[in-house]
């Protein structure tokens, strides 16, 4: 008899509405315009998704000047781009489509709005993440990036002046609360975003992990090491009681010997990881263990973002 394993499956997990829309846009462009279709930056941070789209005819570039055939369309990734990118696309006479998630676009509009009011803007986020680069690039004025509470203390701003803040969409809900608390304790006059900028998908996936982490000896997060929301899920699993938590970038190469002294494992998938990878992982476990699956549902999601008419397929 195989060894027994209890598997706790987090719900919701996997693709969010913004990721779904971005992938559908690339597929729609391939169908409508044929291949190749260029994509600026990984459309979403997941190797499996990127490799699949490559096999269908997408070419991934980091900058627009890498595009060899300028008669072909280009799609900007779900993370959003600085204003300079569509400007450059126009100069290069490129046909472009913007797959920025509407929840990231909402933050871009907030930055523009605060900019018009001449308010200094603090952005809570991770340096060099493409979403942060995109959000900072919505203004020519100074925008202050803070990654932790110490950065808030070091801000070169007058604590008596009025400021506004926004956040990256894929942060840790808990860490961000602490940073906002620090901002509020220092600045007296603050304009806050109307609604929390951390998106529904990030929040729900973290809450779903919190619900089951303490039942788990090992937590497996299917995701990518350059994906902010994947890394945050690993941290949440550890912080909420799982004895160990790891990122699984490649299901096939996962060494099952690590579960030798394990009875209970938790599984989730980041917002940019497709459900097929969860299925592959479960199939792999089933071949080696007798598994009992306990699926939890923290919240039902019914968010859907429309694909632009031109790219419907
Ligand atoms: S994680 Fe959130 S902000 Fe990012 S694409 Fe998904 S829904 Fe949009």
């Amino acid at each position: 008899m195989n060894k027994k394993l209890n598997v706790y499956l987090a719900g919701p997990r996997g693709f969010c509405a913004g990721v779904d829309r971005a992938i559908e846009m690339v597929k729609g462009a391939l169908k409508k315009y044929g291949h190749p279709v260029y994509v600026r930056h990984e459309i979403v941070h997941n190797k499996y998704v990127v490799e699949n789209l490559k096999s269908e005819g997408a070419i991934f570039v980091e900058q627009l000047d890498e595009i060899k055939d300028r008669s072909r369309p280009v799609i900007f990734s779900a993370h959003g781009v600085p204003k300079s990118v569509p400007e450059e696309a126009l100069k290069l006479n490129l046909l472009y489509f913007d797959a920025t998630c509407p929840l990231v676009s909402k933050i871009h509009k907030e930055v523009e709005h605060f900019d018009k009011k001449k308010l200094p803007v603090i952005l809570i986020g991770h340096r060099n993440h493409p979403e942060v680069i995109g959000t900072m690039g919505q203004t020519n004025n100074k925008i202050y990036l803070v990654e932790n509470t110490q950065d808030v203390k070091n801000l070169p701003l007058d604590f008596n002046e009025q400021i506004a803040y926004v956040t990256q969409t894929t942060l840790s809900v808990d860490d961000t609360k602490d940073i906002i608390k620090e901002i509020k304790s220092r600045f007296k006059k603050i304009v806050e975003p109307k609604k929390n900028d951390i998106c529904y998908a990030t929040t729900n996936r973290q809450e779903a992990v919190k619900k089951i982490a303490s039942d788990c000896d090992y937590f497996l997060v299917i995701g990518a090491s350059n994906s902010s929301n994947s890394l945050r899920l690993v941290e949440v699993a550890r912080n909420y009681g799982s004895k160990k938590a790891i990122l699984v970038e490649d299901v096939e190469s996962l060494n099952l010997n690590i579960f030798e002294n394990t009875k209970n494992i938790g599984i989730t998938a980041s917002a940019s990881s497709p459900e097929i990878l969860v299925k592959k992982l479960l199939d792999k476990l089933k071949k080696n263990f007798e598994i009992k699956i306990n699926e939890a549902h923290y919240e039902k999601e019914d968010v859907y973002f429309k694909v632009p008419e031109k790219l419907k397929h």
Side-chain angles (χ1 to χ4, degrees), residues 16-19 78 101-104 131 169-170 197 199-202 229 271 305:
C16 60
V19 161
C101 175
L103 299 180
V104 175
E131 184 186 324
T169 55
T170 49
D197 291 329
C199 77
Y200 82 94
T202 300
N229 80 85
F305 296 134

Side-chain angles (χ1 to χ4, degrees), residues 124-151:
I124 306 172
H126 296 293
R127 192 174 302 282
N128 296 332
H129 188 279
E131 184 186 324
V132 163
I133 295 171
T135 302
M136 294 187 85
Q138 299 308 307
T139 168
N140 291 324
N141 292 326
K142 213 153 183 313
I143 176 162
Y144 300 86
L145 177 66
V146 297
E147 297 187 281
N148 48 47
T149 51
Q150 188 56 44
D151 288 349

Side-chain angles (χ1 to χ4, degrees), residues 110-119 121 164 166 191:
E110 282 167 355
V111 169
E112 269 185 350
H113 170 75
F114 295 141
D115 216 23
K116 276 191 198 132
K117 296 198 152 207
K118 305 244 176 307
L119 285 173
V121 179
V166 293
V191 183

Side-chain angles (χ1 to χ4, degrees), residues 252-296:
E252 268 154 39
S253 63
L254 178 71
N255 178 1
L256 298 184
N257 292 338
I258 59 173
F259 302 128
E260 201 147 291
N261 298 314
T262 304
K263 278 197 187 123
N264 303 300
I265 67 167
I267 295 177
T268 191
S270 74
S272 40
S273 300
E275 183 65 13
I276 186 159
L277 297 180
V278 176
K279 192 178 171 303
K280 276 179 194 267
L281 177 55
L282 290 175
D283 287 346
K284 183 170 174 159
L285 291 172
K286 274 180 202 158
K287 280 191 195 139
N288 293 275
F289 302 97
E290 186 186 323
I291 65 170
K292 180 171 174 256
I293 298 176
N294 310 279
E295 190 160 8

Side-chain angles (χ1 to χ4, degrees), residues 24-37:
E24 288 309 304
M25 284 179 68
V26 179
K27 288 188 172 169
L30 283 164
K31 192 145 190 205
K32 180 156 183 188
Y33 298 98
H35 58 83
V37 160

